[in-house]
Amino acid sequence: MNHPSQPLRDLSCADDYDPNSMPVEKAREVIARFLSPVTAVERVHVRAALGRVAARDVMSPFDVPAHDNSAMDGYAARHADLAVDGEVTLKIAGTAFAGAPYAATINAGEAVRIMTGGVVPVGADTIVMQEHVKADAGRVTIGGGHRKGQNLRHAGEDLKAGAAALLRGRRLRAAEVGLIASLGIPEIAVYRKLRVAFFSTGDELVSFGSALGEGQIYDSNRYTIHAMLERLGCEVLDMGVVRDDPALIETAFSQAAEAADVVITSGGVSVGEADFVKELLTKLGEVVFWKIAMKPGRPLAYGRVGGAHFFGLPGNPVSVMVTFYQFVREALLKLSGQDPVEAVPTFRVPCTSALKKASGRTEFQRGILTRGENGDWSVRVTGEQGSGILRSMSEANCFIILPTDQGNVAPGNFVEVEVMEGVV
Ligand code: AMP
Ligand code: MG
């Protein structure tokens, strides 16, 4: 299990921050200080490696490419034989296809028909594209102006034998899976998956199969959290809905902390509900309750429960997703051993909607980025921005991030957007 290393309590004394108005950046910084990544390693087949994190540097066992080879379909020749101006006709001495090299040395006055990936025959130093020659009856006529070494890929130009093809901490995408396979490596050392336990709290929550009584709602947070964790490659432990009952919540926390590296809850951290949860978590670990200067997602609890990292997300469905993407995602990537974890890229585009924005907090409005007929991108807001309106997340393809000191936005003003694709 991974223990946050420093006591959080010391931090609240030593650091000059106000838990009732915690800036987004500051909260991220504090969280980052306590993260201790998984260290256990397992070996997986390269086919099962997608989304996992490399636990060792992967070294190339040989030069890549292993031989000088052709980058084109054409003819391998000796540059000394080619004309500077005018034409020269060479004898086609044989073929060098990918996987079937030309066995002999090229002599003066000879060329070898070569295909992309074919090993460059000994003696040849230049490849002439087939589009630039005339071939007929065992002879090839080549024009002037060819550069020595052209269209030739040199042995070791991608990677020298013993060099690192990728470094420990890299999350493996399709490109890395292919890269590892290209080195002839069938199995790779990865960190074990991060185990994340989560549950919803709330007396109003109902699960599938029951009709809704008055004031009841279906539990959606557990499903969005489950889906977001799956996207991050975590091992998920769904602990269900827990009633707002101190004894039940205590049991749930203890079981979750026992079973997982990270515990995530939704609901129960707002002002009205926080008191008994606060008391309980002080008993079980170390937790700070922040009111983040952001909308949506103001209340957030963070700390340690037993040996597990803990994130107490707000109850409102949009707040859950926003706080997850702004704080939890990055933390989970770091905890799973990924290094470095880059921030999700943002960029600035004109906003076609008028946006209301109070200063003094960061707002994450839900936006729709579209490309106009002139080819330029712009963003509009998804309509009502209430933190209970999950449809606003579903319709959106980006967050519109309005920083602390920003006021209202007029149509045409530029705003910062963060694309959700590949992230959410
Ligand atoms: P809370 O933070 O527990 O006061 O919850 C804030 C709002 O979010 C309330 O309207 C809750 O009904 C709603 N909520 C809490 N948990 C969930 C959940 N798991 N799924 C959907 N809505 C929820
Ligand atoms: Mg609640």
Side-chain angles (χ1 to χ4, degrees):
M1 209 79 20
N2 306 289
H3 294 262
S5 45
Q6 292 165 266
L8 261 177
R9 259 188 297 269
D10 292 357
L11 182 105
S12 38
C13 307
D15 265 64
D16 182 24
Y17 76 86
D18 175 6
N20 288 314
S21 175
M22 181 64 136
V24 170
E25 275 314 315
K26 182 72 192 173
R28 273 200 197 115
E29 228 176 79
V30 172
I31 291 169
R33 274 189 236 174
F34 293 92
L35 302 174
S36 42
V38 289
T39 53
V41 174
E42 60 195 36
R43 300 190 66 81
V44 294
H45 191 271
V46 69
R47 210 186 271 288
L50 184 66
R52 304 298 297 270
V53 179
R56 307 269 182 270
D57 295 351
V58 176
M59 304 301 191
S60 179
F62 43 73
D63 280 348
V64 179
H67 307 279
D68 288 2
N69 69 88
S70 177
M72 297 283 177
D73 291 348
Y75 290 83
R78 297 155 31 110
H79 190 259
D81 285 352
L82 301 180
V84 179
D85 298 308
E87 292 184 337
V88 68
T89 299
L90 303 172
K91 175 178 172 249
I92 301 173
T95 59
F97 294 158
Y102 177 67
T105 298
I106 289 197
N107 298 309
E110 290 180 348
V112 161
R113 172 90 172 115
I114 193 165
M115 304 304 269
T116 304
V119 173
V120 177
V122 180
D125 56 11
T126 301
I127 309 291
V128 182
M129 276 170 79
Q130 63 186 15
E131 290 80 354
H132 295 165
V133 307
K134 284 181 293 231
D136 185 34
R139 307 188 77 76
V140 59
T141 300
I142 301 173
H146 294 286
R147 184 177 50 79
K148 187 174 176 177
Q150 72 183 17
N151 302 329
L152 203 146
R153 301 189 288 219
H154 289 283
E157 76 177 21
D158 291 354
L159 276 171
K160 293 266 179 281
L166 58 91
L167 298 179
R168 179 165 67 99
R170 178 71 72 85
R171 190 165 295 268
L172 306 174
R173 306 163 303 165
E176 285 76 23
V177 168
L179 180 59
I180 295 162
S182 77
L183 301 177
I185 299 173
E187 247 187 25
I188 172 166
V190 295
Y191 291 116
R192 75 155 169 78
K193 286 188 176 182
L194 193 66
R195 283 193 279 270
V196 185
F198 59 99
F199 55 89
S200 298
T201 66
D203 285 336
E204 74 281 28
L205 302 178
V206 173
S207 295
F208 297 140
S210 317
L212 293 180
E214 199 180 336
Q216 292 186 320
I217 56 171
Y218 287 114
D219 174 11
S220 62
N221 291 342
R222 219 153 37 87
Y223 295 88
T224 37
I225 291 174
H226 183 276
M228 293 187 290
L229 291 172
E230 291 249 298
R231 282 295 281 259
L232 295 180
C234 300
E235 190 179 311
V236 290
L237 253 132
D238 182 347
M239 301 190 54
V241 175
V242 180
R243 302 279 150 231
D244 290 321
D245 170 328
L248 294 177
I249 292 193
E250 177 163 2
T251 309
F253 269 120
S254 303
Q255 285 174 353
E258 194 62 37
D261 304 302
V262 182
V263 178
I264 298 177
T265 60
S266 76
V269 292
S270 56
V271 179
E273 297 184 301
D275 291 352
F276 81 84
V277 179
K278 214 178 256 185
E279 227 167 82
L280 179 65
L281 290 176
T282 311
K283 186 169 128 192
L284 298 178
E286 271 186 288
V287 177
V288 287
F289 284 73
W290 287 323
K291 290 197 186 78
I292 311 265
M294 70 188 277
K295 189 187 174 190
R298 202 153 171 258
L300 182 75
Y302 170 68
R304 174 180 68 79
V305 181
H309 298 269
F310 168 64
F311 295 91
L313 307 184
N316 271 310
V318 178
S319 309
V320 165
M321 295 196 77
V322 172
T323 48
F324 188 96
Y325 284 118
Q326 297 305 322
F327 303 110
V328 185
R329 174 184 173 275
E330 187 175 305
L332 295 185
L333 292 178
K334 286 182 178 164
L335 286 172
S336 62
Q338 183 178 326
D339 182 27
V341 175
E342 308 290 359
V344 178
T346 63
F347 53 97
R348 294 178 72 77
V349 291
C351 181
T352 56
S353 321
L355 305 179
K356 272 183 127 162
K357 161 69 169 62
S359 78
R361 67 185 183 207
T362 308
E363 290 194 12
F364 297 89
Q365 301 205 9
R366 274 72 68 208
I368 302 172
L369 262 174
T370 49
R371 195 173 170 156
E373 273 166 18
N374 61 0
D376 292 342
W377 290 88
S378 64
V379 69
R380 67 179 194 276
V381 79
T382 57
E384 282 301 317
Q385 294 290 304
S387 57
I389 306 174
L390 198 48
R391 193 166 48 82
S392 72
M393 276 299 294
S394 169
E395 286 172 358
N397 61 8
C398 70
F399 288 116
I400 301 171
I401 305 177
L402 304 173
T404 316
D405 43 6
Q406 162 100 50
N408 291 339
V409 173
N413 288 1
F414 274 72
V415 292
E416 188 182 4
V417 294
E418 185 177 272
V419 174
M420 289 174 178
E421 178 55 36
V423 181
V424 172

